[in-house]
Amino acid sequence: MSKVIIFDMDGTLINSTQAICETINYMRLGLNLTPLSYSYIIEVINNPAKNYMIEFYGVDKISNNMMKIFEDEYQKNYFLHAKVYDEAMAVMEYCEDKNYAMAVASNAPNSSLEIILKNAKIIDKFKMIIGASNKVPCKPAPNMLNLIMDSLGKRAIFIGDSYKDSMAAKNANIKYINVTWGRDIQILGEINCKNANEVIKNIG
């Protein structure tokens, strides 16, 4: 059975820091809140102990109308600012050569994922794409990873860049590789890779 390589998107496949941060600060402006620093926004997003809704908007849940505004602005900023990491492209090319099945598991809105990956010209590389929705809880819950494995196979490896990704892999009981080419954050006790060659050695 072929291996299944599952990728996180933001900070792993795509350099999206500016796109994400500008979208969140745009939403805050609409709520008469002051802008937040990029470093603080990225830290909150990747910290499982933080409730990003409260940290960013001061509420537990945003309305459907606010979510629509967020997604529209999010997509616009991705088109303007997001780029695929060269290291991630090299890993994907290796997986293609090995005929490994590839998938994406992201906490980005599910409704936006296909548009973003299509704009980045990498959507055709993935057999399955799952993002956050009312039906699928966000990482660190293992649901996204489990759904992918149920469809594509159990010999899976998850490649991400955050504690949420690490915890999701543990909860799904699969191997995790943490990449540092996006945020330069190492996770104690995990396989930490600074470039594509190191990731490829650990994929095998």
Side-chain angles (χ1 to χ4, degrees):
M1 183 185 296
S2 176
K3 289 180 183 176
V4 179
I5 311 301
I6 308 171
F7 295 87
D8 168 56
M9 185 174 73
D10 297 306
T12 303
L13 287 175
I14 293 179
N15 183 349
S16 55
T17 296
Q18 186 174 355
I20 292 171
C21 293
E22 290 203 8
T23 302
I24 288 169
N25 279 331
Y26 175 86
M27 297 297 293
R28 286 178 61 84
L29 181 65
L31 296 169
N32 295 316
L33 299 171
T34 57
L36 297 170
S37 71
Y38 284 16
S39 60
Y40 178 75
I41 289 172
I42 297 303
E43 192 278 326
V44 168
I45 288 171
N46 290 289
N47 187 339
K50 299 273 190 180
N51 183 323
Y52 68 89
M53 286 291 188
I54 292 175
E55 297 288 336
F56 296 154
Y57 312 122
V59 295
D60 285 320
K61 187 177 181 181
I62 61 175
S63 67
N64 288 337
N65 183 57
M66 282 182 67
M67 180 57 74
K68 177 66 167 60
I69 294 169
F70 177 91
E71 290 179 6
D72 289 346
E73 187 70 13
Y74 183 69
Q75 289 176 21
K76 183 187 80 175
N77 283 322
Y78 259 85
F79 294 153
L80 290 173
H81 307 299
K83 295 181 180 178
V84 179
Y85 289 107
D86 291 341
E87 302 295 339
M89 187 63 76
V91 174
M92 288 186 283
E93 288 171 354
Y94 169 82
C95 291
E96 284 182 316
D97 289 342
K98 290 289 188 177
N99 290 318
Y100 294 159
M102 288 186 280
V104 174
S106 171
N107 281 355
N110 191 66
S111 57
S112 301
L113 277 184
E114 287 194 11
I115 297 169
I116 290 166
L117 295 171
K118 187 178 293 183
N119 182 66
K121 297 180 173 58
I122 57 174
I123 191 168
D124 293 340
K125 297 183 182 298
F126 304 109
K127 291 186 177 296
M128 197 166 178
I129 297 164
I130 299 181
S133 69
N134 292 332
K135 296 179 181 178
V136 183
C138 291
K139 299 170 291 184
N143 302 59
M144 293 179 188
L145 305 182
N146 287 335
L147 285 168
I148 291 168
M149 289 190 292
D150 288 344
S151 178
L152 301 182
K154 300 293 185 181
R155 290 186 64 215
I157 298 171
F158 184 35
I159 302 174
D161 74 314
S162 72
Y163 286 101
K164 286 184 179 179
D165 293 331
S166 168
M167 290 172 64
K170 281 187 173 63
N171 291 334
N173 196 31
I174 63 173
K175 181 177 178 177
Y176 177 67
I177 297 173
N178 188 70
V179 300
T180 62
W181 56 63
R183 297 192 304 124
D184 197 23
I185 300 293
Q186 295 202 355
I187 298 178
L188 187 65
E190 296 290 5
I191 300 167
N192 294 284
C193 298
K194 64 180 178 293
N195 57 47
N197 287 337
E198 291 183 1
V199 172
I200 287 166
K201 285 178 185 176
N202 282 283
I203 290 175

